[in-house]
Amino acid sequence: MPKLYVSNKDESARMFKSDFLELFTHVHWSVPIIIFLPVVIYCLVRTSMEHVVGTYEGISLFILGVFVWTLTEYVLHRFIFHYEPKSDFGKWLHFMTHGVHHDYPNDTKRLVMVPSVSIPLAALFFGLFYFVSGPYYVLPFFAGFIFGYICYDEIHYATHHAPMKGRVGLWLKHHHVLHHYKDPNHGYGVSSPLWDYVFGTMEQTEERNMAEATIPGRK
């Protein structure tokens, strides 16, 4: 089977001729935490201060938000990031958003979402959730949704650059590595494999069992 990647080194392709624009295509793994964890805390504090949503109700909405994020993550990864357009502009846009990651999967500065994309998306989702649930229920739900996103970005980084000891950590690492090195048409879940099971995109068991022995360049 031909390799589905270009490089296992911590390197990547240049996106723009402009150094200024190129700067915005690189992001440290800590940036999602710095930007979005305060949002999570703010939403939870506001929920507790307004006394409209009860404690158990707020916890339930938070968990629901995390759950909805896992589905959102799957849908975005499978149908948006892996959509392959036919036009030259579409191919360029696909490479910019996700193709470069599959060509250079170990680039430490292109493993979490850049703020120029994540912030507008977060605002869009907040507006949608606000419209559906109103000003009070949206806060704990959105807190869970954004917490799920933070976990996704940090787990994604860890699958490429952290040891991830323990059964769960190794399982998630192998699950994502198979997506890169075996079959990009399976294993779309990063923080959770739930929806791969639901929609039939889980990798074959025998491939999963051989993952540890076939991971190129793993630490």
Side-chain angles (χ1 to χ4, degrees), residues 7-73:
S7 173
N8 280 314
K9 298 179 180 179
D10 186 357
E11 61 182 5
S12 190
R14 189 177 179 89
M15 296 292 193
F16 297 100
K17 293 181 180 179
S18 167
D19 290 338
F20 178 74
L21 292 177
E22 183 69 13
L23 179 65
F24 292 96
T25 70
H26 300 270
V27 58
H28 192 266
W29 63 266
S30 63
V31 169
I33 299 174
I34 294 170
I35 293 176
F36 290 105
L37 187 57
V39 175
V40 174
I41 295 171
Y42 172 80
C43 288
L44 294 179
V45 170
R46 278 286 303 274
T47 299
S48 66
M49 291 177 63
E50 289 172 348
H51 303 293
V52 175
V53 179
T55 301
Y56 294 111
E57 195 174 26
I59 293 172
S60 298
L61 286 166
F62 182 89
I63 294 172
L64 179 62
V66 175
F67 178 76
V68 170
W69 165 257
T70 63
L71 177 59
T72 303
E73 169 193 319

Side-chain angles (χ1 to χ4, degrees), residues 130-143:
Y130 184 96
F131 177 77
V132 172
S133 62
Y136 300 109
Y137 291 108
V138 70
L139 293 176
F141 178 86
F142 189 66

Side-chain angles (χ1 to χ4, degrees), residues 67-84:
F67 178 76
V68 170
W69 165 257
T70 63
L71 177 59
T72 303
E73 169 193 319
Y74 179 90
V75 170
L76 288 174
H77 192 183
R78 180 177 180 180
F79 298 107
I80 304 299
F81 294 161
H82 278 266
Y83 174 71
E84 297 184 6

